[in-house]
Amino acid sequence: PIGTLYGIMNNGTTNYSPLLSDVNSIIVMSATTSNTVNIASGTGFPVGSTLNIVQYGTGSTTIVGNGVTIVSTGATPTIPKIRVQYGSATAICIATNIWLVAGDIA
C-alpha cells in the first residue's frame, strides 16, 4: 500500500535518524550547515521501505548508515550527498540492512 506523505521539517537540525513511522514520507532537511540523515539498523524497516529526503536548506545533506550498508552512484558510494539545495534523493531498503540511495546525489 501507498503510505501517507507528510513532511518532517527539521528547522535547522543537523542530524536526523528516520523512524519506522517515516517510511514513505518526505524528510525535509532545512539546516543552513552540513547535516546528515542517519539510517540505523534495528529500526525495523522492512525490505521495500522508502525514505524521501529533500535538502531544503543551504547546508549539504549527507546520507549515512549506522549498522546498515548504503550503496549509491554518488562519488562516495557509501556516503552519498544530495548535490544541491532543493535536490532530493530516495533511500530504498533493498535487503535487510542494505539501502540503495538514488536521485540528485554527488
Side-chain angles (χ1 to χ4, degrees), residues 50-97:
T50 60
L51 300 169
N52 301 292
I53 304 159
V54 175
Q55 181 181 314
Y56 188 76
T58 56
S60 176
T61 300
T62 302
I63 302 159
V64 299
N66 181 4
V68 304
T69 300
I70 303 286
V71 296
S72 76
T73 59
T76 307
T78 60
I79 310 173
K81 292 184 179 188
I82 296 179
R83 192 176 60 82
V84 293
Q85 185 178 18
Y86 309 125
S88 66
T90 299
I92 306 163
C93 184
I94 60 171
T96 303
N97 291 328

Side-chain angles (χ1 to χ4, degrees), residues 7-48:
I8 301 166
M9 191 64 88
N10 286 342
N11 297 322
T13 300
T14 56
N15 279 318
Y16 185 73
S17 295
L19 305 171
L20 189 56
S21 59
D22 297 329
V23 169
N24 299 327
S25 69
I26 301 169
I27 299 169
V28 180
M29 300 302 286
S30 61
T32 57
T33 59
S34 294
N35 56 84
T36 60
V37 174
N38 182 15
I39 302 172
S41 65
T43 310
F45 292 110
V47 173

